[in-house]
């Protein structure tokens, strides 16, 4: 599972999942906190559609953390002030980089969470679709 997909599931999905996965690593492995969770500002890069040029839209507050597990550094970055989640993401990232045995059990769990997220988004889209007005069928 690619890192981008994994992080999206962990950030957008249930908060219990990253909490439980990080706790499992803490229990079974020694880890070192390289950088405690702390706030930072980062620039938001956007692409202008007509000329295809990059520009900076503004800044966003993020929380970032770095940990080391089995000589592999993991990074957790999340928007807003979410210190616990940033730490948990860093631990999980380091576990995947170190290819620990626990990750084999995590992938089906993450895939199931992704299916639930997709189903919830489809349900929300269907509810919104019911409220749309079709102007072509209206008598004017």
């Amino acid at each position: 599972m690619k890192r981008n997909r994994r992080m999206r599931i962990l950030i957008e999905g249930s908060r219990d999942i990253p909490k439980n996965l990080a706790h499992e690593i803490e229990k079974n492995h020694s880890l070192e906190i390289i950088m405690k969770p702390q706030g930072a500002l980062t620039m938001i890069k956007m692409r202008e559609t007509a000329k295809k040029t990059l520009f900076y839209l503004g800044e966003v507050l993020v929380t970032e953390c770095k940990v080391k597990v089995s000589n592999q550094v993991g990074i957790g970055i999340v928007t807003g002030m979410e210190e616990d989640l940033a730490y948990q993401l860093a631990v999980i990232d380091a576990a995947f980089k170190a290819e620990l045995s626990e990750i084999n059990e995590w992938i089906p769990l993450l895939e199931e969470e992704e299916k639930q997220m997709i189903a919830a988004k489809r349900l929300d889209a269907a509810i919104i679709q019911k409220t749309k007005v079709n102007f072509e069928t209206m008598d004017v």
Side-chain angles (χ1 to χ4, degrees), residues 19-37:
K19 181 180 177 181
N20 294 338
L21 299 183
H23 180 68
E24 189 176 337
I25 295 301
E26 291 170 339
K27 201 170 49 171
N28 299 329
H29 302 276
S30 63
L31 58 92
E32 174 188 348
I33 298 176
I34 297 172
M35 183 177 77
K36 289 183 180 181

Side-chain angles (χ1 to χ4, degrees), residues 2-3 12 20 37 43 45 64 96 114 127 132:
K2 292 193 177 189
R3 183 181 193 198
E12 294 177 10
N20 294 338
M43 298 295 287
K45 194 183 293 187
E64 57 185 348
F96 269 92
E114 183 180 41
I127 291 169
K132 285 183 119 178

Side-chain angles (χ1 to χ4, degrees), residues 9-73:
I9 295 167
L10 291 168
I11 292 169
E12 294 177 10
S14 170
R15 291 290 195 247
D16 292 335
I17 293 175
K19 181 180 177 181
N20 294 338
L21 299 183
H23 180 68
E24 189 176 337
I25 295 301
E26 291 170 339
K27 201 170 49 171
N28 299 329
H29 302 276
S30 63
L31 58 92
E32 174 188 348
I33 298 176
I34 297 172
M35 183 177 77
K36 289 183 180 181
Q38 61 185 18
L41 289 173
T42 187
M43 298 295 287
I44 301 172
K45 194 183 293 187
M46 297 292 291
R47 184 169 301 277
E48 189 269 325
T49 56
K51 294 182 180 179
K52 307 287 188 215
T53 58
L54 289 174
F55 69 98
Y56 291 101
L57 183 63
E59 294 178 322
V60 67
L61 177 68
V62 297
T63 306
E64 57 185 348
C65 179
K66 290 182 185 177
V67 300
K68 185 187 277 189
V69 177
S70 297
N71 289 327
Q72 293 294 323
V73 176

Side-chain angles (χ1 to χ4, degrees), residues 61-132:
L61 177 68
V62 297
T63 306
E64 57 185 348
C65 179
K66 290 182 185 177
V67 300
K68 185 187 277 189
V69 177
S70 297
N71 289 327
Q72 293 294 323
V73 176
I75 301 172
I77 301 174
V78 63
T79 58
M81 285 302 296
E82 300 210 36
E83 294 178 355
D84 291 339
L85 182 58
Y87 168 75
Q88 293 158 1
L89 293 175
V91 171
I92 294 166
D93 187 44
F96 269 92
K97 283 183 179 177
E99 297 179 353
L100 301 178
S101 60
E102 289 87 350
I103 67 172
N104 296 325
E105 300 168 12
W106 295 355
I107 293 173
L109 177 72
L110 293 172
E111 289 172 343
E112 183 59 35
E113 181 66 16
E114 183 180 41
K115 286 179 187 175
Q116 291 177 6
M117 289 168 41
I118 291 169
K121 285 182 183 180
R122 283 188 182 145
L123 181 63
D124 287 345
I127 291 169
I128 291 169
Q129 189 66 29
K130 288 181 185 178
T131 65
K132 285 183 119 178

